[in-house]
Amino acid sequence: MNILDVHTLTVIAAVVAYTVLLIAAFIRRSQQEKQTRWLLAFLFTTIIWEFLRFFTLQFSIDFFPDIPTKVLLVGTMLLGVTTAVYANWPRLHFWLLLSSAAILTALAIDFFLPAEALTIPIDNESTLTIYYTSFVSYLSWFVLSSYLLARTWREYRNTRFPWHANRLLFWVIALLSVVVGEALIFFNWSGLTIAGQITRFLGAVGLTYAVSSYRIFDVRTRAQRVLATTIITTISALPVVSAVLLVLWLPDDIPRIPEFLTTVFIAVIITLGIFFYQPFRNLVERFVYRYLIGEDVNTSQVVRSYSQAISRTLDMQQLSLVIVGTLSELLETTRGALILFTKMEDHYEIEPIPAMGRIPRKKIYLSHDSVFIQALQQHQPLLQYELDFNPDHAGLSEEEQEWLQELAMEVYVPISTSSGMNGLIAIGPKNSALPYQPGELELVQILADQTVVALQNARLYSELGSQNEKIRHLNKDLVSQNERLEIMDRVKSDFITIASHELRTPLTQVKGYSDILAAMNEENALTREQTREIVSHINRATLQLESLITAMLDASQLDVDGMQLTFVQTRLDTVLRLAVEPLIQAMRERRISLEINGVEELPSIYGDFKRLVQAFTNLIGNAVKYTPDHGSITVDAMLVPSEEGEEDYVEIVIADTGIGIDPKFHDLIFEKFFRIGDPQLHSTGSTKFRGAGPGLGLPIAKGVIEAHEGHIWVESEREDEERLPGSRFYIILPVQPAGAEATAEAVTTTRPDYLVG
Ligand code: ADP
């Protein structure tokens, strides 16, 4: 068989082999549809290329221009696209641009310099003729292939996760095999061409394997093991082999040693060899394993010390540290977390407890049938690689993907009981950048199983902690409620004091003046003028009594059946004008300024005109009472437009520059008969600075506002007569209270007779 025959046969064999490969890839296409499609195109181009080569060889057809090489270039381009899809390159156009430019340049040279060639003399007899067109084609092939290899290699180097990197490493090796094979074929020298064909085909088989199955064996570990076995076998066989060789090489005619002794010597060496081979091999094995692969761990000892360490830990953070610390020592990882799963009715609440590395504490809520949860249900370690490439786990939601990306873990090992998932141990890639071996994963799973009880204990403990915290809060609440009750109790007893004081003062006046009136009348000493004056005193005292009693009745009405209101269309500017009217004189005397903003723009609201005037008089009256001379009071009003599904409402803020209110009394001042300060002080006038009142103004104002379905509250930093922090009373009133049955009653402008300051 001459060389040509061998070449032709190789090409035929290659066509058959590639066709088989193409069929195999086609059958397994469902796994990674897109990349398989491009690989099929590549294999198909390869077959065409081999056919063209067959014609060139068999019939000596010299395609002119060099068509087979152009087809090969198209093949390289397709190989690049397959690689791009496989390695998930973000941008494909650079490759497409580069490869099309290369092919077009080669074609252009064909067109413009078809017959130009370079003749290189090889020796005296033969020369090598290289057409420019072929040269450009080879150069293009070289550039494209090198770029492809370099880029994939760089990607492999930059990939953090070992299994992801392994996949790329495998691809690089297969690519390299294809490229080297092609280079060898180019040489067109018998042995090299055959070797090239085989290498290229093996490369193509590798590519097909990588494309059609996502689970690729661990290239580096396997290479390491092969190397280790080779070294172990070689070294351990060395002594025996060398001894035997030594004996065999002994000169036959050593006179002093009889022949039978030589035989005995050989027998002894072989026996010793057999005897010592195994222990020596074990020794070598241990040595090589220690320095090349790493020592095996003593599983039972690890499990024992791990169980002891976690059983002593009750705090969740501590537990996470212990778990990840042990694993990091064992597997040399620098990243890890305990991830807690709390089962809810239709979802899991998942919370990482970081232990090592920068890990976000971000919680995520996943439904029971989410891809991640389903993947973990198999009760075995789950690799991030599986989540990314196993078609069974396809369809991770964007939220899941983002969360997992932030965690950046290599393996998730479930901690589960029969009732469901309790948590996960998550560990990052190893320092050595080697993938986790099945044995290691198994060990982590055993440790995870050991963690169930410790995790449950830590959970109970933390629940206990939060219950304790709750109880502490409740206790605090209880204490403040107690304080409040005590104050209320005091208020109740103060009420008697206040009421008797408040009532006694005007009563004493009435009695005193009427006594004077009677006595003077007896003596007939009363002038008309005196009578008018005494009667006016009596009148004022009675009015005071009346207003106090009205206020008390109003307040008691609040308790019995709330406030009975008559809703009419009411303008708040009129309300405020009337509310302020009785206070103007006092404000003038005490040089307190009043500013009212924004009321004119307010729409009419439905409300009880008289009651609103009463409420605002009480509030502005208080502002006057608790603001020292020369202070200022501001009333700001505005309409707050409704949000969806809600009514419009108005907000009125009454702010003063007065003494302020201690925050601990912010609620209490709205209670009946509560007033800050000494209950022995009796009413000293409704407008005097700090003039004590009966403690009914705010409860009545609150009753009125709430009967309008509104709210009232106060904001003030503290009470301070020196620095005067001031108080701000907020009043919210709906424009159209739901319960308001508007009557067409006209707005009344008469001054209400039950005002109390
Ligand atoms: P009083 O009749 O005593 O004014 P209120 O019910 O109107 O009763 O007010 C209760 C208490 O709230 C008052 O005793 C006073 O201490 C405090 N208070 C009310 N308004 C103000 C204010 N604008 N600035 C400071 N303290 C206020």
Side-chain angles (χ1 to χ4, degrees), residues 618-627 654-656 658-662 665 668-677 683 690-700 714 716 719 726-729 756-757:
N618 292 353
L619 288 166
I620 301 172
N622 276 347
V624 174
K625 262 200 304 192
Y626 298 102
T627 301
I654 302 170
D656 60 47
I659 58 169
I661 305 167
D662 188 329
F665 296 131
L668 285 168
I669 53 172
F670 293 99
E671 295 293 342
K672 282 193 295 286
F673 299 109
F674 179 84
R675 59 186 201 189
I676 305 168
S683 255
R690 300 205 76 166
L696 287 173
L698 288 181
I700 290 175
V714 66
S716 174
E719 185 183 326
S727 315
R728 294 168 69 80
F729 281 83
V756 61

Side-chain angles (χ1 to χ4, degrees), residues 94-138:
F94 178 71
W95 170 256
L96 289 178
L97 220 70
L98 186 75
S99 45
S100 342
I103 295 171
L104 287 177
T105 318
L107 285 174
I109 302 280
D110 281 348
F111 189 70
F112 292 115
L113 306 168
E116 298 283 328
L118 205 65
T119 315
I120 308 164
I122 295 178
D123 48 42
N124 290 342
E125 287 145 41
S126 53
T127 55
L128 182 68
T129 310
I130 299 177
Y131 286 101
Y132 281 129
T133 156
S134 304
F135 177 70
V136 171
S137 300
Y138 289 136

